[in-house]
Amino acid sequence: VQLQASGGGLVQAGGSLRLSCAASGSILRINAMDWYRQAPGKQRELVATITSGGSTNYADSVKGRFTISEDNAKNTAYLQMNSLKPEDTAVYFCYARGVLTTNFRSINYWGQGTQVTVSS
């Protein structure tokens, strides 16, 4: 199983970006997908979560600005980021929890990071 994150870039404050995280491999089901971020010198923090049933949760710092969604058929999660602020600058990582594969193993996977830079 591999997770491929994409969509990062450089944007001015107030702008928008949409991140994608596509899981590939012999996947039967993914229980939940998360987006984390890590800014220089800071710990990795959870930004948003979506379960296979569509339940979502957000960090207080991004509520009302970020929206997480998923396409279960494509095993892909998205993070729509609006009204971006310089403090949103970080490397964003996706994390798939409870990935059930065709050999009936359930494992968690990290994707590679994608850089988001918001200029003031």
Side-chain angles (χ1 to χ4, degrees), residues 21-25 27 30 33 70-78:
C21 176
S24 60
I27 299 170
I30 300 174
M33 294 186 79
E70 64 184 355
D71 184 334
N72 288 331
K74 296 181 179 179
N75 290 322
T76 299
Y78 306 95

Side-chain angles (χ1 to χ4, degrees), residues 31-95:
N31 280 339
M33 294 186 79
D34 308 321
W35 284 100
Y36 284 78
R37 67 185 180 187
Q38 187 166 19
K42 294 188 177 182
Q43 289 190 333
R44 191 172 296 189
E45 64 171 343
L46 178 62
V47 174
T49 293
I50 189 164
T51 68
S52 58
S55 297
T56 60
N57 199 18
Y58 298 92
D60 288 342
S61 59
V62 306
K63 280 181 182 177
R65 300 188 298 121
F66 290 11
T67 302
I68 189 170
S69 60
E70 64 184 355
D71 184 334
N72 288 331
K74 296 181 179 179
N75 290 322
T76 299
Y78 306 95
L79 187 67
Q80 178 67 43
M81 305 185 295
N82 298 328
S83 303
L84 282 162
K85 305 175 181 180
E87 51 264 42
D88 295 318
T89 295
V91 178
Y92 284 70
F93 299 87
C94 57
Y95 183 57

